[in-house]
Amino acid sequence: MKSVVLVLTIILFTSFFPVIFLNKTFFFADNFMLMVPGKIFAVASLKQGIIPMWNPYIFSGVPFLADLSQSFVYPSTLLFIFLSPATALSTSIIFHIFFGACGMAMLSFLLWKNRYYALLSAISWMLSPILIASVNNMAVTQSVSWLPWMIFFALRICEGSRIQLNQILLITSMSLSIFGGHPYPFFYGGILMGIFILMHPLSIAQKLKRFLPVVLLWIALSSVILFPFLEAIGLSTRTRMSTTETTFGILQPAHALSLFIPNMYSDTSNGITWGPDWGKAKTIVGYVSIIGIIAFVLLFGKWKILPMHQRMLLSVGCVSLLYTFGLFLPLTSILYSNIPGFRFLRSPGEIGILWVMCSGLLLGVALEHVGKFCKTYGNIILCACIAGGLTLCIGWIAQSFYFHNMWIFIDQLLVHKLSQSVFHTEIRDAVIIKHVLLQISIAVVMLGVSTWAVMQKRKILLLSIITLDLWIASIPLLYFAPHTIFEPQSLQSLFLQSQNIQNYRFLSLSGHLPWTGLPSYWDNMMIRPPFAESRVTLEESQTFTQLKARRDNLAMDWGM
């Protein structure tokens, strides 16, 4: 497995080059608003000899230790004691992305005994858009990274290999997944682990003997944070959310196209958003490469000859993928409205992590069946790709030289519905057409080269194309800034600390007022002209002057 680790290391260094070599860090969204401020507060409390049970700086005070998302008891808190906030954050995220990918490689090899399959599984995990998007919330990255290891240790216990050691490792991985700061990955990963255990031919008595102590010891170990968290959740607004709030972030039917063309509706790095993503953050879909998703479609045709484990992974993966469409599926709204407990599962899109795991573990198997398909239809696919490429060339020429006349003609043909539309303008539509042509061109090239690689049995080339395909799909989700973005002391805070004002409280500005708080800043980063007004200019994206100003004004959690 040394070659697998080496390849993953190269991909890691390439994907996170700005962080590893250019002194940049992750800063977007929850990392800036919640994760780092919470760690700074925790470290400051510990240095004063105080265990931060309570945070007095938000509202009239809120629980801190019981707030699972702060991951106070997770080992990453130690990093913030000895390293700067930016370095600690970057170290934790990069380590966990790599650690989770190694876990996928180990689990895949345990299942299929094939190093090529293991490498495919690890790469599809490391570069999955869902996993890459998780770097914007350190707690999610920490919790998710333990899921492959949980299932790996559970299967080792079932096989009877060094049972006591693997029991200890399973308890540790389960506990750290919870302590990592996000409950959903553990919940969904636990479901998949339970299915693996139930399907194993080991007798029920033996399963109880080996896993009951694990569950009991895990409950005892995690109770220090789990029980206070459950009590806090019971008192929170989570139990009183509407169905619309609970199902925030669901996929719309049009997002099914994103399984084949992942950045079809948005490119947050360039501020482009349209269709089902217009006016909101990019909806993350579990993309597995264009040849990968086609392979999974074809795998259904081999259902009868698939082994039981492969059927299970295909079923669980597809059910979880369908579930991410939330209210657009029959009975989903009834489940969320009438069955107790469903409201705790906010955002059905979170279950996409099961699709990432199942599709990653099956990717090598699915591609093997694609090879047989390409023997018969490969030349037809290549011809279709060439024809598609020629059509796209015509589209590029038309867009470059004749778009203005075409737009006016179509507007007149539609009785001026374009010019009178709330959304459509000539400038905006020009950007969309250019973006769509680019995304389709990438998909056609990736499909053509992947098909040729399969036909020629060029495994290394196929692996490289899948890696590049996933990297192109995921890279727009990464945001980097200089380490100084997390400087905790501002002139305002230093001034307040220098005054003899111990009996006073100062309220920071609201993050929900337009142009003043942090949430609007993230919107401005992801959606820019001509799709919306934005104060995040090219200069701002390099200097982060406004973001630092909002931080220094103690916006949101920077009042800690």
mmCIF file with all atom_site columns, all heavy atoms in Angstrom, residues 44-67:
data_model
loop_
_atom_site.group_PDB
_atom_site.id
_atom_site.type_symbol
_atom_site.label_atom_id
_atom_site.label_alt_id
_atom_site.label_comp_id
_atom_site.label_asym_id
_atom_site.label_entity_id
_atom_site.label_seq_id
_atom_site.pdbx_PDB_ins_code
_atom_site.Cartn_x
_atom_site.Cartn_y
_atom_site.Cartn_z
_atom_site.occupancy
_atom_site.B_iso_or_equiv
_atom_site.pdbx_formal_charge
_atom_site.auth_seq_id
_atom_site.auth_comp_id
_atom_site.auth_asym_id
_atom_site.auth_atom_id
_atom_site.pdbx_PDB_model_num
ATOM 1   N N   . ALA A 1 44 ? -8.054  30.308 25.157 1.00 0.00 ? 44 ALA A N   1
ATOM 2   C CA  . ALA A 1 44 ? -7.907  31.403 26.124 1.00 0.00 ? 44 ALA A CA  1
ATOM 3   C C   . ALA A 1 44 ? -8.423  30.992 27.498 1.00 0.00 ? 44 ALA A C   1
ATOM 4   O O   . ALA A 1 44 ? -7.823  31.324 28.531 1.00 0.00 ? 44 ALA A O   1
ATOM 5   C CB  . ALA A 1 44 ? -8.654  32.639 25.624 1.00 0.00 ? 44 ALA A CB  1
ATOM 6   N N   . SER A 1 45 ? -9.519  30.240 27.527 1.00 0.00 ? 45 SER A N   1
ATOM 7   C CA  . SER A 1 45 ? -10.084 29.768 28.800 1.00 0.00 ? 45 SER A CA  1
ATOM 8   C C   . SER A 1 45 ? -9.146  28.764 29.465 1.00 0.00 ? 45 SER A C   1
ATOM 9   O O   . SER A 1 45 ? -8.896  28.838 30.680 1.00 0.00 ? 45 SER A O   1
ATOM 10  C CB  . SER A 1 45 ? -11.450 29.128 28.564 1.00 0.00 ? 45 SER A CB  1
ATOM 11  O OG  . SER A 1 45 ? -12.369 30.054 28.010 1.00 0.00 ? 45 SER A OG  1
ATOM 12  N N   . LEU A 1 46 ? -8.620  27.830 28.680 1.00 0.00 ? 46 LEU A N   1
ATOM 13  C CA  . LEU A 1 46 ? -7.722  26.819 29.232 1.00 0.00 ? 46 LEU A CA  1
ATOM 14  C C   . LEU A 1 46 ? -6.453  27.450 29.811 1.00 0.00 ? 46 LEU A C   1
ATOM 15  O O   . LEU A 1 46 ? -5.948  27.011 30.857 1.00 0.00 ? 46 LEU A O   1
ATOM 16  C CB  . LEU A 1 46 ? -7.362  25.794 28.158 1.00 0.00 ? 46 LEU A CB  1
ATOM 17  C CG  . LEU A 1 46 ? -8.481  24.847 27.710 1.00 0.00 ? 46 LEU A CG  1
ATOM 18  C CD1 . LEU A 1 46 ? -8.018  23.993 26.541 1.00 0.00 ? 46 LEU A CD1 1
ATOM 19  C CD2 . LEU A 1 46 ? -8.944  23.960 28.864 1.00 0.00 ? 46 LEU A CD2 1
ATOM 20  N N   . LYS A 1 47 ? -5.948  28.475 29.146 1.00 0.00 ? 47 LYS A N   1
ATOM 21  C CA  . LYS A 1 47 ? -4.744  29.135 29.640 1.00 0.00 ? 47 LYS A CA  1
ATOM 22  C C   . LYS A 1 47 ? -4.993  29.867 30.960 1.00 0.00 ? 47 LYS A C   1
ATOM 23  O O   . LYS A 1 47 ? -4.055  30.145 31.715 1.00 0.00 ? 47 LYS A O   1
ATOM 24  C CB  . LYS A 1 47 ? -4.214  30.105 28.587 1.00 0.00 ? 47 LYS A CB  1
ATOM 25  C CG  . LYS A 1 47 ? -3.580  29.395 27.396 1.00 0.00 ? 47 LYS A CG  1
ATOM 26  C CD  . LYS A 1 47 ? -3.029  30.381 26.375 1.00 0.00 ? 47 LYS A CD  1
ATOM 27  C CE  . LYS A 1 47 ? -2.350  29.650 25.223 1.00 0.00 ? 47 LYS A CE  1
ATOM 28  N NZ  . LYS A 1 47 ? -1.815  30.583 24.201 1.00 0.00 ? 47 LYS A NZ  1
ATOM 29  N N   . GLN A 1 48 ? -6.258  30.160 31.241 1.00 0.00 ? 48 GLN A N   1
ATOM 30  C CA  . GLN A 1 48 ? -6.623  30.761 32.519 1.00 0.00 ? 48 GLN A CA  1
ATOM 31  C C   . GLN A 1 48 ? -7.003  29.714 33.558 1.00 0.00 ? 48 GLN A C   1
ATOM 32  O O   . GLN A 1 48 ? -7.424  30.046 34.659 1.00 0.00 ? 48 GLN A O   1
ATOM 33  C CB  . GLN A 1 48 ? -7.801  31.719 32.323 1.00 0.00 ? 48 GLN A CB  1
ATOM 34  C CG  . GLN A 1 48 ? -7.500  32.908 31.413 1.00 0.00 ? 48 GLN A CG  1
ATOM 35  C CD  . GLN A 1 48 ? -8.722  33.767 31.141 1.00 0.00 ? 48 GLN A CD  1
ATOM 36  O OE1 . GLN A 1 48 ? -9.652  33.798 31.942 1.00 0.00 ? 48 GLN A OE1 1
ATOM 37  N NE2 . GLN A 1 48 ? -8.724  34.456 30.020 1.00 0.00 ? 48 GLN A NE2 1
ATOM 38  N N   . GLY A 1 49 ? -6.866  28.437 33.176 1.00 0.00 ? 49 GLY A N   1
ATOM 39  C CA  . GLY A 1 49 ? -7.210  27.355 34.090 1.00 0.00 ? 49 GLY A CA  1
ATOM 40  C C   . GLY A 1 49 ? -8.702  27.094 34.187 1.00 0.00 ? 49 GLY A C   1
ATOM 41  O O   . GLY A 1 49 ? -9.181  26.529 35.173 1.00 0.00 ? 49 GLY A O   1
ATOM 42  N N   . ILE A 1 50 ? -9.459  27.480 33.154 1.00 0.00 ? 50 ILE A N   1
ATOM 43  C CA  . ILE A 1 50 ? -10.916 27.340 33.163 1.00 0.00 ? 50 ILE A CA  1
ATOM 44  C C   . ILE A 1 50 ? -11.338 26.347 32.081 1.00 0.00 ? 50 ILE A C   1
ATOM 45  O O   . ILE A 1 50 ? -10.893 26.447 30.932 1.00 0.00 ? 50 ILE A O   1
ATOM 46  C CB  . ILE A 1 50 ? -11.604 28.696 32.893 1.00 0.00 ? 50 ILE A CB  1
ATOM 47  C CG1 . ILE A 1 50 ? -11.210 29.714 33.957 1.00 0.00 ? 50 ILE A CG1 1
ATOM 48  C CG2 . ILE A 1 50 ? -13.120 28.536 32.835 1.00 0.00 ? 50 ILE A CG2 1
ATOM 49  C CD1 . ILE A 1 50 ? -11.677 31.125 33.645 1.00 0.00 ? 50 ILE A CD1 1
ATOM 50  N N   . ILE A 1 51 ? -12.182 25.387 32.456 1.00 0.00 ? 51 ILE A N   1
ATOM 51  C CA  . ILE A 1 51 ? -12.813 24.520 31.462 1.00 0.00 ? 51 ILE A CA  1
ATOM 52  C C   . ILE A 1 51 ? -14.054 25.259 30.961 1.00 0.00 ? 51 ILE A C   1
ATOM 53  O O   . ILE A 1 51 ? -14.971 25.532 31.744 1.00 0.00 ? 51 ILE A O   1
ATOM 54  C CB  . ILE A 1 51 ? -13.201 23.159 32.062 1.00 0.00 ? 51 ILE A CB  1
ATOM 55  C CG1 . ILE A 1 51 ? -11.946 22.407 32.505 1.00 0.00 ? 51 ILE A CG1 1
ATOM 56  C CG2 . ILE A 1 51 ? -13.976 22.332 31.038 1.00 0.00 ? 51 ILE A CG2 1
ATOM 57  C CD1 . ILE A 1 51 ? -12.228 21.068 33.152 1.00 0.00 ? 51 ILE A CD1 1
ATOM 58  N N   . PRO A 1 52 ? -14.113 25.617 29.678 1.00 0.00 ? 52 PRO A N   1
ATOM 59  C CA  . PRO A 1 52 ? -15.193 26.483 29.180 1.00 0.00 ? 52 PRO A CA  1
ATOM 60  C C   . PRO A 1 52 ? -16.535 25.766 29.043 1.00 0.00 ? 52 PRO A C   1
ATOM 61  O O   . PRO A 1 52 ? -16.936 25.359 27.944 1.00 0.00 ? 52 PRO A O   1
ATOM 62  C CB  . PRO A 1 52 ? -14.662 26.944 27.825 1.00 0.00 ? 52 PRO A CB  1
ATOM 63  C CG  . PRO A 1 52 ? -13.769 25.828 27.374 1.00 0.00 ? 52 PRO A CG  1
ATOM 64  C CD  . PRO A 1 52 ? -13.139 25.278 28.617 1.00 0.00 ? 52 PRO A CD  1
ATOM 65  N N   . MET A 1 53 ? -17.219 25.599 30.141 1.00 0.00 ? 53 MET A N   1
ATOM 66  C CA  . MET A 1 53 ? -18.547 25.001 30.101 1.00 0.00 ? 53 MET A CA  1
ATOM 67  C C   . MET A 1 53 ? -19.563 25.941 29.453 1.00 0.00 ? 53 MET A C   1
ATOM 68  O O   . MET A 1 53 ? -20.552 25.509 28.869 1.00 0.00 ? 53 MET A O   1
ATOM 69  C CB  . MET A 1 53 ? -19.015 24.668 31.520 1.00 0.00 ? 53 MET A CB  1
ATOM 70  C CG  . MET A 1 53 ? -18.042 23.845 32.328 1.00 0.00 ? 53 MET A CG  1
ATOM 71  S SD  . MET A 1 53 ? -17.939 22.128 31.773 1.00 0.00 ? 53 MET A SD  1
ATOM 72  C CE  . MET A 1 53 ? -19.544 21.523 32.286 1.00 0.00 ? 53 MET A CE  1
ATOM 73  N N   . TRP A 1 54 ? -19.325 27.255 29.575 1.00 0.00 ? 54 TRP A N   1
ATOM 74  C CA  . TRP A 1 54 ? -20.306 28.270 29.177 1.00 0.00 ? 54 TRP A CA  1
ATOM 75  C C   . TRP A 1 54 ? -19.590 29.383 28.414 1.00 0.00 ? 54 TRP A C   1
ATOM 76  O O   . TRP A 1 54 ? -18.482 29.783 28.766 1.00 0.00 ? 54 TRP A O   1
ATOM 77  C CB  . TRP A 1 54 ? -20.957 28.827 30.442 1.00 0.00 ? 54 TRP A CB  1
ATOM 78  C CG  . TRP A 1 54 ? -22.090 29.786 30.211 1.00 0.00 ? 54 TRP A CG  1
ATOM 79  C CD1 . TRP A 1 54 ? -22.045 31.144 30.312 1.00 0.00 ? 54 TRP A CD1 1
ATOM 80  C CD2 . TRP A 1 54 ? -23.428 29.453 29.873 1.00 0.00 ? 54 TRP A CD2 1
ATOM 81  N NE1 . TRP A 1 54 ? -23.268 31.678 30.036 1.00 0.00 ? 54 TRP A NE1 1
ATOM 82  C CE2 . TRP A 1 54 ? -24.164 30.661 29.765 1.00 0.00 ? 54 TRP A CE2 1
ATOM 83  C CE3 . TRP A 1 54 ? -24.116 28.254 29.641 1.00 0.00 ? 54 TRP A CE3 1
ATOM 84  C CZ2 . TRP A 1 54 ? -25.511 30.713 29.458 1.00 0.00 ? 54 TRP A CZ2 1
ATOM 85  C CZ3 . TRP A 1 54 ? -25.459 28.298 29.323 1.00 0.00 ? 54 TRP A CZ3 1
ATOM 86  C CH2 . TRP A 1 54 ? -26.145 29.502 29.240 1.00 0.00 ? 54 TRP A CH2 1
ATOM 87  N N   . ASN A 1 55 ? -20.232 29.860 27.366 1.00 0.00 ? 55 ASN A N   1
ATOM 88  C CA  . ASN A 1 55 ? -19.689 30.983 26.606 1.00 0.00 ? 55 ASN A CA  1
ATOM 89  C C   . ASN A 1 55 ? -20.549 32.216 26.864 1.00 0.00 ? 55 ASN A C   1
ATOM 90  O O   . ASN A 1 55 ? -21.684 32.296 26.375 1.00 0.00 ? 55 ASN A O   1
ATOM 91  C CB  . ASN A 1 55 ? -19.668 30.658 25.109 1.00 0.00 ? 55 ASN A CB  1
ATOM 92  C CG  . ASN A 1 55 ? -19.152 31.812 24.275 1.00 0.00 ? 55 ASN A CG  1
ATOM 93  O OD1 . ASN A 1 55 ? -18.715 32.828 24.798 1.00 0.00 ? 55 ASN A OD1 1
ATOM 94  N ND2 . ASN A 1 55 ? -19.201 31.656 22.971 1.00 0.00 ? 55 ASN A ND2 1
ATOM 95  N N   . PRO A 1 56 ? -20.064 33.171 27.629 1.00 0.00 ? 56 PRO A N   1
ATOM 96  C CA  . PRO A 1 56 ? -20.874 34.335 27.993 1.00 0.00 ? 56 PRO A CA  1
ATOM 97  C C   . PRO A 1 56 ? -20.925 35.407 26.909 1.00 0.00 ? 56 PRO A C   1
ATOM 98  O O   . PRO A 1 56 ? -21.631 36.405 27.069 1.00 0.00 ? 56 PRO A O   1
ATOM 99  C CB  . PRO A 1 56 ? -20.157 34.886 29.227 1.00 0.00 ? 56 PRO A CB  1
ATOM 100 C CG  . PRO A 1 56 ? -18.723 34.538 28.992 1.00 0.00 ? 56 PRO A CG  1
ATOM 101 C CD  . PRO A 1 56 ? -18.729 33.228 28.264 1.00 0.00 ? 56 PRO A CD  1
ATOM 102 N N   . TYR A 1 57 ? -20.204 35.215 25.795 1.00 0.00 ? 57 TYR A N   1
ATOM 103 C CA  . TYR A 1 57 ? -20.047 36.276 24.812 1.00 0.00 ? 57 TYR A CA  1
ATOM 104 C C   . TYR A 1 57 ? -21.035 36.222 23.652 1.00 0.00 ? 57 TYR A C   1
ATOM 105 O O   . TYR A 1 57 ? -20.992 37.075 22.767 1.00 0.00 ? 57 TYR A O   1
ATOM 106 C CB  . TYR A 1 57 ? -18.617 36.265 24.259 1.00 0.00 ? 57 TYR A CB  1
ATOM 107 C CG  . TYR A 1 57 ? -17.578 36.479 25.326 1.00 0.00 ? 57 TYR A CG  1
ATOM 108 C CD1 . TYR A 1 57 ? -16.653 35.491 25.636 1.00 0.00 ? 57 TYR A CD1 1
ATOM 109 C CD2 . TYR A 1 57 ? -17.543 37.671 26.050 1.00 0.00 ? 57 TYR A CD2 1
ATOM 110 C CE1 . TYR A 1 57 ? -15.706 35.679 26.629 1.00 0.00 ? 57 TYR A CE1 1
ATOM 111 C CE2 . TYR A 1 57 ? -16.603 37.869 27.044 1.00 0.00 ? 57 TYR A CE2 1
ATOM 112 C CZ  . TYR A 1 57 ? -15.688 36.879 27.326 1.00 0.00 ? 57 TYR A CZ  1
ATOM 113 O OH  . TYR A 1 57 ? -14.756 37.077 28.327 1.00 0.00 ? 57 TYR A OH  1
ATOM 114 N N   . ILE A 1 58 ? -21.887 35.224 23.599 1.00 0.00 ? 58 ILE A N   1
ATOM 115 C CA  . ILE A 1 58 ? -22.897 35.142 22.546 1.00 0.00 ? 58 ILE A CA  1
ATOM 116 C C   . ILE A 1 58 ? -24.276 35.252 23.184 1.00 0.00 ? 58 ILE A C   1
ATOM 117 O O   . ILE A 1 58 ? -24.587 34.523 24.129 1.00 0.00 ? 58 ILE A O   1
ATOM 118 C CB  . ILE A 1 58 ? -22.781 33.834 21.756 1.00 0.00 ? 58 ILE A CB  1
ATOM 119 C CG1 . ILE A 1 58 ? -21.435 33.780 21.030 1.00 0.00 ? 58 ILE A CG1 1
ATOM 120 C CG2 . ILE A 1 58 ? -23.914 33.702 20.748 1.00 0.00 ? 58 ILE A CG2 1
ATOM 121 C CD1 . ILE A 1 58 ? -21.224 32.540 20.214 1.00 0.00 ? 58 ILE A CD1 1
ATOM 122 N N   . PHE A 1 59 ? -25.115 36.156 22.694 1.00 0.00 ? 59 PHE A N   1
ATOM 123 C CA  . PHE A 1 59 ? -26.423 36.445 23.270 1.00 0.00 ? 59 PHE A CA  1
ATOM 124 C C   . PHE A 1 59 ? -26.249 36.740 24.768 1.00 0.00 ? 59 PHE A C   1
ATOM 125 O O   . PHE A 1 59 ? -25.383 37.502 25.151 1.00 0.00 ? 59 PHE A O   1
ATOM 126 C CB  . PHE A 1 59 ? -27.398 35.290 23.019 1.00 0.00 ? 59 PHE A CB  1
ATOM 127 C CG  . PHE A 1 59 ? -27.601 34.992 21.562 1.00 0.00 ? 59 PHE A CG  1
ATOM 128 C CD1 . PHE A 1 59 ? -27.362 33.729 21.042 1.00 0.00 ? 59 PHE A CD1 1
ATOM 129 C CD2 . PHE A 1 59 ? -28.016 35.985 20.684 1.00 0.00 ? 59 PHE A CD2 1
ATOM 130 C CE1 . PHE A 1 59 ? -27.544 33.461 19.699 1.00 0.00 ? 59 PHE A CE1 1
ATOM 131 C CE2 . PHE A 1 59 ? -28.198 35.734 19.337 1.00 0.00 ? 59 PHE A CE2 1
ATOM 132 C CZ  . PHE A 1 59 ? -27.950 34.467 18.837 1.00 0.00 ? 59 PHE A CZ  1
ATOM 133 N N   . SER A 1 60 ? -27.057 36.115 25.586 1.00 0.00 ? 60 SER A N   1
ATOM 134 C CA  . SER A 1 60 ? -26.895 36.269 27.032 1.00 0.00 ? 60 SER A CA  1
ATOM 135 C C   . SER A 1 60 ? -26.079 35.122 27.611 1.00 0.00 ? 60 SER A C   1
ATOM 136 O O   . SER A 1 60 ? -26.077 34.891 28.818 1.00 0.00 ? 60 SER A O   1
ATOM 137 C CB  . SER A 1 60 ? -28.268 36.330 27.711 1.00 0.00 ? 60 SER A CB  1
ATOM 138 O OG  . SER A 1 60 ? -28.981 37.468 27.294 1.00 0.00 ? 60 SER A OG  1
ATOM 139 N N   . GLY A 1 61 ? -25.401 34.418 26.754 1.00 0.00 ? 61 GLY A N   1
ATOM 140 C CA  . GLY A 1 61 ? -24.622 33.253 27.148 1.00 0.00 ? 61 GLY A CA  1
ATOM 141 C C   . GLY A 1 61 ? -25.209 31.993 26.541 1.00 0.00 ? 61 GLY A C   1
ATOM 142 O O   . GLY A 1 61 ? -26.429 31.856 26.431 1.00 0.00 ? 61 GLY A O   1
ATOM 143 N N   . VAL A 1 62 ? -24.340 31.094 26.096 1.00 0.00 ? 62 VAL A N   1
ATOM 144 C CA  . VAL A 1 62 ? -24.782 29.824 25.511 1.00 0.00 ? 62 VAL A CA  1
ATOM 145 C C   . VAL A 1 62 ? -23.865 28.712 26.012 1.00 0.00 ? 62 VAL A C   1
ATOM 146 O O   . VAL A 1 62 ? -22.717 28.965 26.399 1.00 0.00 ? 62 VAL A O   1
ATOM 147 C CB  . VAL A 1 62 ? -24.740 29.858 23.964 1.00 0.00 ? 62 VAL A CB  1
ATOM 148 C CG1 . VAL A 1 62 ? -25.742 30.840 23.403 1.00 0.00 ? 62 VAL A CG1 1
ATOM 149 C CG2 . VAL A 1 62 ? -23.340 30.171 23.468 1.00 0.00 ? 62 VAL A CG2 1
ATOM 150 N N   . PRO A 1 63 ? -24.351 27.459 26.027 1.00 0.00 ? 63 PRO A N   1
ATOM 151 C CA  . PRO A 1 63 ? -23.472 26.346 26.403 1.00 0.00 ? 63 PRO A CA  1
ATOM 152 C C   . PRO A 1 63 ? -22.305 26.233 25.414 1.00 0.00 ? 63 PRO A C   1
ATOM 153 O O   . PRO A 1 63 ? -22.482 26.417 24.214 1.00 0.00 ? 63 PRO A O   1
ATOM 154 C CB  . PRO A 1 63 ? -24.393 25.126 26.304 1.00 0.00 ? 63 PRO A CB  1
ATOM 155 C CG  . PRO A 1 63 ? -25.777 25.667 26.391 1.00 0.00 ? 63 PRO A CG  1
ATOM 156 C CD  . PRO A 1 63 ? -25.727 27.015 25.752 1.00 0.00 ? 63 PRO A CD  1
ATOM 157 N N   . PHE A 1 64 ? -21.137 25.920 25.929 1.00 0.00 ? 64 PHE A N   1
ATOM 158 C CA  . PHE A 1 64 ? -19.972 25.748 25.059 1.00 0.00 ? 64 PHE A CA  1
ATOM 159 C C   . PHE A 1 64 ? -19.532 24.292 25.013 1.00 0.00 ? 64 PHE A C   1
ATOM 160 O O   . PHE A 1 64 ? -19.435 23.704 23.945 1.00 0.00 ? 64 PHE A O   1
ATOM 161 C CB  . PHE A 1 64 ? -18.817 26.635 25.528 1.00 0.00 ? 64 PHE A CB  1
ATOM 162 C CG  . PHE A 1 64 ? -17.653 26.611 24.582 1.00 0.00 ? 64 PHE A CG  1
ATOM 163 C CD1 . PHE A 1 64 ? -17.659 27.415 23.452 1.00 0.00 ? 64 PHE A CD1 1
ATOM 164 C CD2 . PHE A 1 64 ? -16.554 25.787 24.800 1.00 0.00 ? 64 PHE A CD2 1
ATOM 165 C CE1 . PHE A 1 64 ? -16.591 27.393 22.548 1.00 0.00 ? 64 PHE A CE1 1
ATOM 166 C CE2 . PHE A 1 64 ? -15.489 25.753 23.912 1.00 0.00 ? 64 PHE A CE2 1
ATOM 167 C CZ  . PHE A 1 64 ? -15.506 26.564 22.793 1.00 0.00 ? 64 PHE A CZ  1
ATOM 168 N N   . LEU A 1 65 ? -19.279 23.683 26.152 1.00 0.00 ? 65 LEU A N   1
ATOM 169 C CA  . LEU A 1 65 ? -18.858 22.285 26.172 1.00 0.00 ? 65 LEU A CA  1
ATOM 170 C C   . LEU A 1 65 ? -19.933 21.384 25.567 1.00 0.00 ? 65 LEU A C   1
ATOM 171 O O   . LEU A 1 65 ? -19.630 20.398 24.894 1.00 0.00 ? 65 LEU A O   1
ATOM 172 C CB  . LEU A 1 65 ? -18.549 21.838 27.598 1.00 0.00 ? 65 LEU A CB  1
ATOM 173 C CG  . LEU A 1 65 ? -17.995 20.416 27.763 1.00 0.00 ? 65 LEU A CG  1
ATOM 174 C CD1 . LEU A 1 65 ? -16.668 20.278 27.010 1.00 0.00 ? 65 LEU A CD1 1
ATOM 175 C CD2 . LEU A 1 65 ? -17.805 20.066 29.225 1.00 0.00 ? 65 LEU A CD2 1
ATOM 176 N N   . ALA A 1 66 ? -21.205 21.733 25.777 1.00 0.00 ? 66 ALA A N   1
ATOM 177 C CA  . ALA A 1 66 ? -22.306 20.940 25.240 1.00 0.00 ? 66 ALA A CA  1
ATOM 178 C C   . ALA A 1 66 ? -22.546 21.195 23.757 1.00 0.00 ? 66 ALA A C   1
ATOM 179 O O   . ALA A 1 66 ? -23.342 20.497 23.133 1.00 0.00 ? 66 ALA A O   1
ATOM 180 C CB  . ALA A 1 66 ? -23.595 21.231 26.025 1.00 0.00 ? 66 ALA A CB  1
ATOM 181 N N   . ASP A 1 67 ? -21.862 22.206 23.201 1.00 0.00 ? 67 ASP A N   1
ATOM 182 C CA  . ASP A 1 67 ? -21.979 22.496 21.774 1.00 0.00 ? 67 ASP A CA  1
ATOM 183 C C   . ASP A 1 67 ? -21.020 21.584 21.020 1.00 0.00 ? 67 ASP A C   1
ATOM 184 O O   . ASP A 1 67 ? -19.823 21.846 20.931 1.00 0.00 ? 67 ASP A O   1
ATOM 185 C CB  . ASP A 1 67 ? -21.658 23.966 21.516 1.00 0.00 ? 67 ASP A CB  1
ATOM 186 C CG  . ASP A 1 67 ? -21.849 24.359 20.060 1.00 0.00 ? 67 ASP A CG  1
ATOM 187 O OD1 . ASP A 1 67 ? -22.175 23.469 19.244 1.00 0.00 ? 67 ASP A OD1 1
ATOM 188 O OD2 . ASP A 1 67 ? -21.680 25.546 19.731 1.00 0.00 ? 67 ASP A OD2 1
#
